[in-house]
Amino acid sequence: MPRDTPRSRAALVLLLAVGLVLLVLDVRVEGDPVSGGARAAGAAAFVPLASAVGVAAAPVTGVTAALAAAPASAARIDELERRNAELAAEVDALERDGARSAELADLLTLSGLGGYEIVAAQAVTRLTGHGYADAVTLDVGARDGVAPDMTVISRDGLVGRVTEVTEQTSTVTLVTDGASAVGVRLAGSKEIGVVDGTGNAVTDRSPLVLELLDGSAVVREGDRVVTLGSHGGAPFVPGVPVGTVTEVADTPGALSRTARVTPFADISRIDVVGVVVAEPEDDPRDSLLRSAPKGGDR
């Protein structure tokens, strides 16, 4: 702030005096040349001062306006961010719905080719409290015609079997569960055996263990496995793709032949599935397998 000095006080008194004179002159007759000249001189002296005051006050006025508008701007920004989040959620939902629609279409194609009558379902939980290591709960149950010992498939192949049913839900023990055992056949041959689950967590795309009943059976990496089928289609219907042989154990002289099998279905990402409620009239054999890569089935 400028210091209060005798000179500044004198200047202030002078300005007040001139302003008072101009005020008095301004009320006089407008055509008076004396008062008109005085007013002109006063205006010439005071206009620069007024301009300087206006320039100095402009930033303060701008800040005041900005502060006054700030709450409205913040509210608008919050509204836009909220709407943006809602739109992002809608896009995610549409993408999930699109992916599920594609899965369902593929599932219906597979079941149609195999002659399976299915009830489409969605996995709502990945683990249950029923003591199963690898299990999912589906959003279908007895009211939908689901019963224990029914085969569960995805668009890629075997998922597992129904082990418990309530009115509205059902529990599926996955093919990877340590208690799971599935009668199977090597595609393109008559070699039969059993695929056992390893009991590893569903977060791992775990291999299965294949045990062929004939110890001299020829099995190679890349061979594929399908379900053999059970009497009455329970718990497994025939012809469902199970997986691909990824490793063959060297067990000379053994009574059986063992190998590792990676399931076709991605057990860690089970979502849309089908519960087979009626077995096919005819065994689809190997017809549900996709085209084998080079070096695959015999």
Side-chain angles (χ1 to χ4, degrees):
M1 295 179 60
R3 285 182 295 177
D4 186 14
T5 62
R7 179 175 295 181
S8 63
R9 285 197 297 272
L12 179 59
V13 171
L14 178 60
L15 288 174
L16 290 174
V18 172
L20 182 59
V21 170
L22 289 176
L23 182 62
V24 172
L25 292 174
D26 195 54
V27 300
R28 298 174 63 87
V29 180
E30 193 170 326
D32 189 340
V34 176
S35 62
R39 280 196 302 273
F46 274 88
V47 166
L49 292 175
S51 299
V53 172
V55 171
V60 177
T61 304
V63 170
T64 303
L67 290 174
S73 299
R76 179 58 176 163
I77 291 173
D78 290 343
E79 180 184 352
L80 291 174
E81 289 179 345
R82 179 183 58 77
R83 183 56 181 156
N84 185 58
E86 290 176 353
L87 291 174
E90 290 175 7
V91 170
D92 289 342
L94 289 173
E95 289 178 350
R96 287 194 300 271
D97 289 344
R100 285 170 178 163
S101 296
E103 284 190 53
L104 180 59
D106 291 343
L107 174 62
L108 293 175
T109 298
L110 180 72
S111 62
L113 291 173
Y116 309 131
E117 182 181 339
I118 67 167
V119 170
Q122 184 177 339
V124 292
T125 59
R126 298 305 172 100
L127 294 174
T128 68
H130 296 75
Y132 303 119
D134 291 1
V136 295
T137 300
L138 305 183
D139 61 354
V140 294
R143 66 178 182 180
D144 306 292
V146 176
D149 284 339
M150 285 183 170
T151 308
V152 180
I153 62 176
S154 73
R155 64 179 179 180
D156 297 312
L158 183 65
V159 170
R161 66 186 178 93
V162 176
T163 49
E164 289 188 11
V165 177
T166 68
E167 187 65 20
Q168 300 181 0
T169 65
S170 52
T171 299
V172 177
T173 298
L174 302 177
V175 66
T176 51
D177 185 79
S180 174
V182 184
V184 297
R185 177 179 53 80
L186 282 180
S189 78
K190 296 182 179 180
E191 299 294 345
I192 63 174
V194 176
V195 162
D196 295 309
T198 61
N200 291 343
V202 296
T203 54
D204 179 22
R205 193 178 173 88
S206 307
L208 308 169
V209 177
L210 166 65
E211 184 177 4
L212 293 173
L213 301 184
D214 184 358
S216 63
V218 177
V219 57
R220 300 187 295 259
E221 290 184 14
D223 284 349
R224 295 178 292 173
V225 179
V226 299
T227 55
L228 181 62
S230 309
H231 178 69
F236 299 105
V237 294
V240 179
V242 176
T244 303
V245 174
T246 54
E247 180 185 349
V248 179
D250 186 13
T251 54
L255 297 178
S256 60
R257 196 75 189 273
T258 61
R260 291 280 181 172
V261 174
T262 297
F264 288 125
D266 188 350
I267 301 301
S268 66
R269 300 182 62 182
I270 296 298
D271 189 8
V272 177
V273 298
V275 180
V276 181
V277 295
E279 65 176 321
E281 294 182 2
D282 300 308
D283 186 346
R285 302 290 295 174
D286 304 334
S287 63
L288 302 186
L289 290 169
R290 296 172 183 173
S291 299
K294 292 182 179 180
D297 290 342
R298 295 182 291 278

